[in-house]
Structure formats: structure tokens, C-alpha cells
Amino acid sequence: MTGSVLNLISLARRAGCVESGDPAGRGAVDRGRVKLILLAGDAAQRTRKAFEIVAGEAGIPLMIYGDKDSLGRILGKPSRSVVAITDQNLARGIAGAMEKGGMN
């Protein structure tokens, strides 16, 4: 994982623009707050499929990033399968950094 993506996710966390975990992520989507969904590469198939459907229906970009342990570590929490970014600018920055090769 590259520093820029990690830094942006960490910045989003500090800014209060992150909902993490399956229930919190779904709730934020339901409230129309989510601008980007990050899904751990090792998320359960059921979780992956559910969020692919939710993201598709809501028109929210979904990207695969890291694994559950690394996403939890970035957020200072136990492992997480789902991280929902609620700020448009931070979501755009994270997606842009990932598209530039930040997926390693």
C-alpha cells in the first residue's frame, strides 16, 4: 500500500469522514452520505456481493484495497471489511491515488 492512499484514508478518519464496518457502512449508504466504498480484498464473498449491489444501486464507486487487517490498522480499530468515505474531496483523492498505482 502506498503512502498517499494510506495518508488520505488516515486524514479522512481524523476528519470524521469515515464509517467503517458492515453495519455502519450500510447505514451511511442508506443515509446518502457515502462517496466512496473501500472493500478489503479478503472480505467475505457475501459481504463483497452485498456491497457491490448496494454501491451499484446508489451509484457509489467501490474499490478493492488492502485486506481486513490493514484497513483496521489504518483506522486504529480491529479488522474491517468495509470503509465508507463520506467526504467528496477525500473520496476523489483516494480514488485518484489508487488509480495512479496506489493499490500495491
Side-chain angles (χ1 to χ4, degrees):
M1 290 188 254
T2 65
S4 62
V5 174
L6 292 173
N7 289 341
L8 288 168
I9 295 171
S10 182
L11 177 63
R13 177 190 56 82
R14 289 190 311 271
C17 299
V18 169
E19 297 286 342
S20 67
D22 190 331
R26 287 178 198 251
V29 169
D30 290 344
R31 291 187 302 278
R33 297 185 58 225
V34 178
K35 308 304 180 199
L36 174 68
I37 297 172
L38 300 176
L39 193 62
D42 61 347
Q45 187 63 31
R46 187 170 131 201
T47 300
R48 180 184 296 248
K49 187 66 176 168
F51 274 92
E52 287 172 352
I53 292 169
V54 166
E57 289 175 350
I60 300 167
L62 182 142
M63 302 181 97
I64 306 299
Y65 187 72
D67 58 36
K68 293 186 290 190
D69 289 336
S70 64
L71 285 177
R73 207 170 20 257
I74 293 166
L75 300 173
K77 298 186 177 282
S79 64
R80 301 284 184 206
S81 294
V82 179
V83 175
I85 307 298
T86 60
D87 179 82
Q88 183 64 47
N89 291 325
L90 287 166
R92 196 174 309 131
I94 291 166
M98 290 175 66
E99 288 170 1
K100 290 179 184 173
M103 308 238 335
N104 299 338

